[in-house]
Amino acid sequence: MSTTPASSGPDVPFGPEDTPWQKTFSGLRVVDGVPAVTPPSGDPRDTYMDIPEVPFAKVQIPPAGLNGQQYAEAEGLFRRYVDAQTRNFAGYQVTSDLDFQRLSHYLDRHLNNVGDPYESSSYTLNSKLLERAVLDYFASLWNAKWPHDGNDPETYWGYVLTMGSSEGNLYGLWNARDHLSGKLLLREREHTGHDPASVVYTQALRREGQSPHAYEPVAFFSQDTHYSLTKAVRVLGINTFHHIGSTRYPDENPLGPGTPWPTEVPSRDGAIDVGRLAPLVRFFASKGYPILVSLNYGSTFKGAYDDVPTVARTVREICTEYGLDRRRVYHDRGTDSDFDERSGFWIHIDAALGAGYAPYLHMARDAGMVDEAPPVFDFRLPEVHSLTMSGHKWMGTPWACGIYMTRTGLQMTPPKSSEYIGATDTTFAGSRNGFSSLLLWDYLSRHSYDDLVRLAAECHQLAGYAHDRLLALQDKLGVDLWVARSPQALTVRFRRPGAEIVRKYSLSCETVHEDGERRTYVHLYAVPHLRRELVDELVRDMRQPGAFPDAGTGPGWAGAVDSLAAPSRTEAVARH
Ligand SMILES: *Cc1c(COP(=O)(O)O)cnc(C)c1O
């Protein structure tokens, strides 16, 4: 028998009182004194990354649970940590001062919006009524035809996501893939009389004279695209232009014959470079591949807006040249009349952040409150096929949620009908979070367009203020902090400061190769909870000597020491 060291196995100190793990059981009688559970094989406290403010021992869950006092201490430590980080949260595009206490009643209610939002189901404990109101609100804001009508292909269809825009991107690309690879659409199911249970998910028939690639979509997105897109194409088995280009046409990169294919479409200052996207799209369209383009509207790191109207027009014009604007898709039975007509391209808009405020910024511009606003991105553009937004980002919710929206006529057929839930299974998840629809409904009900227009204009101005302050700091210190703001972005990026500051403000990092050097940037996001006071505090922290350990010393540091003599920490950061 091997001896177990005290730091592993049943003797591992466990829980708030450092009790040996095997002594942490309650008085429950256990057969032979050995409960049928697995003891730790090592000390978790040595294994996990710790938060200094909350020792892991305090929150470990012994088999007997925590007593009242232990619970209060653990929860108190965790609460102080969360509240401190909430106060200084500046590095992500997530609004963090929330106001939903009035909905606490529903924490003790189960709300599950399983299945299609427009079909009531036998699962009556849902908030689909509110979900439909929320979807109509956004359909109007994003200029889609509404209300949703299953018999009108021009009206919108959508649903409230259980994840954020990652799910919206996944679902949008899934819908795009099925559309472009010729699978039967939902609207065709009734017309053609196909038996939904057997043939709805089969592939289209390739006709004589059609390209061998006619049903093989190829995906395009820029180098500033969120990682969820890369995940989505992988999960869905969609090929990117890089993959097909470098495997089938290795020497034919249209951006430079003989040079390697770029992995993503190059961008300029965060926005997709339309001048480079066009030849890439043309290369594949000319060979008959259907075209799938995903655009960013408020890119993750730089907050940049792809020029959606220009890309939409460019892609449509190229596709028209090669017969991909409208094409016939023939189905299994092979009779000449058994086809539908649809586009051979799909444009998806990843507007995780931008769709939440840009419409109000457009209104602010039209009212003369701000000088400029980002380009149009919504269903006014006939080429826009699908759109997603995260609910927790601009608006702010206590957990991830979001909206997916498309046009009813583009809906794909769900793989399987689902009698069990009593509603068509047209969404990605099974059970869907019904509380999120309630949160979105609550927020929109309590904020008028006027409120939201003012808020968007304030954040836009605050981003400009932060940009000015950081440029001034850079001047003063005489050190290149790489301060930059993409046009009209809500974020300003700059050189990563030391670890203390990064942690205090939750600053996210991105390392890029720029101007021939490796640079690690962080950014500051002007979302509704950010205040000028917090920007000022960050700037003050960054004036301290040593704030940028890898930036060397500049002429400004000496003066910076003086300014620390009388720190004026602003405590009143809360808005209300
Ligand atoms: C945050 C973000 C996503 C992912 O959204 P989640 O809500 O985190 O799933 C997708 N795209 C962009 C541009 C984002 O900024």
Side-chain angles (χ1 to χ4, degrees):
M1 224 179 86
S2 66
T3 52
T4 315
S7 63
S8 75
D11 292 325
V12 164
F14 198 88
E17 318 299 341
D18 288 342
T19 316
W21 181 81
Q22 62 187 348
K23 304 246 161 67
T24 57
F25 294 88
S26 52
L28 185 74
R29 242 178 219 286
V30 180
V31 182
D32 292 339
V34 183
V37 294
T38 304
S41 65
D43 187 344
R45 299 178 200 169
D46 298 339
T47 314
Y48 302 143
M49 205 171 70
D50 235 347
I51 300 172
E53 296 89 335
V54 191
F56 192 52
K58 299 291 182 193
V59 300
Q60 283 187 305
I61 310 165
L66 298 175
N67 66 31
Q69 193 190 342
Q70 294 165 337
Y71 180 95
E73 188 189 358
E75 195 270 333
L77 287 169
F78 183 68
R79 182 184 296 223
R80 269 197 294 287
Y81 165 75
V82 169
D83 289 352
Q85 293 311 109
T86 298
R87 176 192 176 280
N88 296 329
F89 200 69
Y92 288 85
Q93 57 275 53
V94 173
T95 294
S96 63
D97 67 342
L98 309 179
D99 178 21
F100 290 114
Q101 294 291 335
R102 73 183 64 72
L103 300 181
S104 61
H105 172 80
Y106 296 94
L107 278 177
D108 290 332
R109 298 289 178 277
H110 172 78
L111 293 174
N112 189 335
N113 290 7
V114 61
D116 191 275
Y118 302 91
E119 294 176 25
S120 54
S121 73
S122 45
Y123 205 111
T124 54
L125 265 181
N126 67 60
S127 65
K128 288 186 180 181
L129 186 75
L130 308 182
E131 182 178 17
R132 293 190 282 265
V134 166
L135 291 165
D136 274 0
Y137 179 100
F138 282 111
S140 173
L141 191 68
W142 298 336
N143 293 290
K145 184 177 179 190
W146 63 288
H148 165 71
D149 174 356
N151 295 315
D152 181 350
E154 292 307 315
T155 62
Y156 86 93
W157 176 84
Y159 73 96
V160 172
L161 304 162
T162 289
M163 308 194 299
S165 289
S166 298
E167 181 186 341
N169 287 334
L170 186 61
Y171 196 87
L173 264 59
W174 180 13
N175 205 145
R177 185 196 72 183
D178 280 11
H179 186 269
L180 297 176
S181 60
K183 299 224 158 74
L184 207 61
L185 301 177
L186 194 59
R187 67 176 147 99
E188 293 302 319
R189 198 167 61 172
E190 279 98 50
H191 301 191
T192 57
H194 285 299
D195 169 12
S198 60
V199 297
V200 288
Y201 210 62
T202 55
Q203 192 78 27
L205 281 190
R206 201 160 59 76
R207 283 290 164 122
E208 192 118 348
Q210 266 187 319
S211 159
H213 312 299
Y215 296 117
E216 196 181 343
V218 51
F220 302 81
F221 45 83
S222 85
Q223 62 186 85
D224 281 82
T225 298
H226 188 259
Y227 55 86
S228 58
L229 257 296
T230 311
K231 233 177 344 187
V233 294
R234 227 182 257 184
V235 169
L236 294 163
I238 300 172
N239 284 322
T240 63
F241 75 91
H242 169 259
H243 179 80
I244 300 184
S246 49
T247 52
R248 293 184 199 162
Y249 315 103
D251 301 321
E252 298 175 52
N253 172 15
L255 300 185
T259 64
W261 288 80
T263 49
E264 286 145 341
V265 181
S267 40
R268 295 159 76 103
D269 203 1
I272 197 164
D273 183 341
V274 188
R276 305 232 187 123
L277 172 68
L280 290 169
V281 166
R282 179 178 294 282
F283 180 89
F284 288 94
S286 72
K287 294 179 163 41
Y289 290 90
I291 303 297
L292 165 49
V293 180
S294 180
L295 297 176
N296 299 315
Y297 197 71
S299 68
T300 307
F301 199 77
K302 297 176 183 156
Y305 311 92
D306 287 348
D307 184 348
V308 182
T310 304
V311 172
R313 180 166 36 79
T314 304
V315 168
R316 181 177 34 77
E317 283 171 4
I318 293 171
C319 286
T320 303
E321 275 183 57
Y322 300 103
L324 287 171
D325 56 330
R326 285 201 75 68
R327 58 178 190 157
R328 287 182 174 185
V329 170
Y330 290 90
H331 300 294
D332 308 67
R333 291 180 302 191
T335 62
D336 277 349
S337 59
D338 188 17
F339 65 84
D340 71 81
E341 269 196 343
R342 61 175 90 166
S343 64
F345 67 93
W346 185 289
I347 297 181
H348 172 74
I349 313 296
D350 176 359
L353 181 68
Y357 65 87
Y360 306 118
L361 211 45
H362 292 150
M363 295 176 203
R365 180 203 48 207
D366 296 345
M369 298 162 66
V370 296
D371 297 337
E372 45 176 17
V376 168
F377 68 99
D378 62 24
F379 291 100
R380 273 172 286 187
L381 301 170
E383 296 88 356
V384 168
H385 287 64
S386 55
L387 179 86
T388 189
M389 180 198 79
S390 297
H392 54 291
K393 287 192 167 169
W394 171 260
M395 187 178 296
T397 52
W399 45 75
C401 64
I403 306 274
Y404 172 77
M405 195 169 282
T406 183
R407 303 174 197 267
T408 297
L410 300 172
Q411 273 190 275
M412 61 181 169
T413 310
K416 199 168 187 294
S417 63
S418 183
E419 183 189 359
Y420 178 69
I421 57 172
T424 318
D425 191 16
T426 45
T427 67
F428 186 70
S431 291
R432 288 194 301 122
N433 182 336
F435 205 130
S436 294
S437 288
L438 172 61
L439 292 168
L440 298 172
W441 177 85
D442 172 272
Y443 183 92
L444 297 170
S445 303
R446 292 186 298 105
H447 293 81
S448 67
Y449 272 16
D450 286 6
D451 298 334
L452 297 172
V453 166
R454 259 195 305 278
L455 196 57
E458 277 167 22
C459 288
H460 180 76
Q461 280 148 359
L462 184 56
Y465 173 79
H467 190 208
D468 291 345
R469 289 296 316 263
L470 288 162
L471 286 172
L473 175 70
Q474 174 170 273
D475 266 4
K476 186 140 201 154
L477 295 180
V479 176
D480 189 356
L481 298 180
W482 317 325
V483 175
R485 180 186 177 205
S486 294
Q488 301 157 56
L490 285 192
T491 183
V492 184
R493 55 191 187 274
F494 51 96
R495 183 195 281 267
R496 178 178 60 183
E500 284 275 293
I501 296 177
V502 167
R503 183 174 147 81
K504 175 175 171 186
Y505 298 95
S506 299
L507 302 178
S508 63
C509 307
E510 186 172 86
T511 299
V512 292
H513 289 269
E514 216 166 276
D515 297 345
E517 60 175 336
R518 205 179 130 85
R519 294 178 163 186
T520 301
Y521 283 87
V522 295
H523 63 185
L524 177 74
Y525 247 106
V527 285
H529 70 270
L530 193 77
R531 300 284 161 271
R532 286 191 175 210
E533 290 81 354
L534 196 68
V535 175
D536 295 344
E537 187 175 330
L538 170 66
V539 168
R540 241 182 348 260
D541 284 348
M542 295 200 302
R543 289 191 62 189
Q544 299 192 30
F548 294 90
D550 37 356
T553 46
W557 298 111
V561 181
D562 294 343
S563 73
L564 284 178
S568 56
R569 276 183 67 92
T570 310
E571 297 300 340
V573 178
R575 175 147 52 110
H576 302 290

